[in-house]
Amino acid sequence: MNKATITGTSLILGMARIAPQSPRSPLAPPSPFPPLTPPAPLTPLARLLVVAGLALTALLTTGPAHADGGTMPHLSGKGLVAAYHQLNYDTKVQLKDGRGASRHVLWPASWKVCDQHPKAGTPFSHQPITLTVVKTHESCTGGDR
């Protein structure tokens, strides 16, 4: 029987033989891609690295928020992220551990500023500044400021 002489009965019978192809059907060509599987849950270290990377990206993409441009802003008592936001992006900032333990700041949102040099209100011309910082749950050596 050629295609031009298909009757209604042969059309119905022919359709009955055609079934939807499942993903594993032998009639379907093999896929060049592996089957989709849900991603594995992140380990605590991987989760920490992802969050830290996002936080650093937020810090680096934030523009300067220094309003008056001529004086050093008051940073003592503020969170380290808020302190960064008040400085121009091109200001060199040195961080000093207020506990004297030489800890490194890996997660700025977990730290607060206890002291600053130069002091607030002094002329500010983008010279390097030093911020003395402690973890947010710790108190500054001279009491919280």
Side-chain angles (χ1 to χ4, degrees):
M1 191 185 307
N2 64 28
K3 290 182 184 179
T5 60
I6 295 178
T7 64
T9 306
S10 63
L11 180 63
I12 292 173
L13 292 176
M15 294 294 269
R17 283 187 263 152
I18 299 174
Q21 295 180 1
S22 67
R24 300 190 187 276
S25 172
L27 299 176
S31 173
F33 305 106
L36 295 176
T37 56
L42 293 176
T43 64
L45 177 62
R47 194 172 301 155
L48 175 71
L49 291 174
V50 167
V51 171
L54 290 173
L56 289 174
T57 301
L59 284 175
L60 294 176
T61 58
T62 304
H66 192 255
D68 58 355
T71 60
M72 181 70 181
H74 179 75
L75 304 175
S76 296
K78 295 186 179 184
L80 187 54
V81 173
Y84 278 136
H85 283 227
Q86 288 203 336
L87 298 170
N88 289 323
Y89 66 92
D90 59 346
T91 303
K92 181 172 175 23
V93 178
Q94 179 181 357
L95 301 176
K96 180 180 163 188
D97 185 2
R99 295 282 183 203
S102 300
R103 298 176 291 181
H104 295 282
V105 174
L106 298 177
W107 181 245
S110 297
W111 295 77
K112 65 181 177 182
V113 178
C114 285
D115 196 17
Q116 67 185 69
H117 180 76
K119 297 292 181 192
T122 59
F124 181 62
S125 61
H126 303 289
Q127 71 266 26
I129 66 169
T130 301
L131 299 178
T132 303
V133 296
V134 295
K135 294 275 192 152
T136 53
H137 64 276
E138 298 172 346
S139 64
C140 297
T141 54
D144 282 338
R145 295 183 180 149

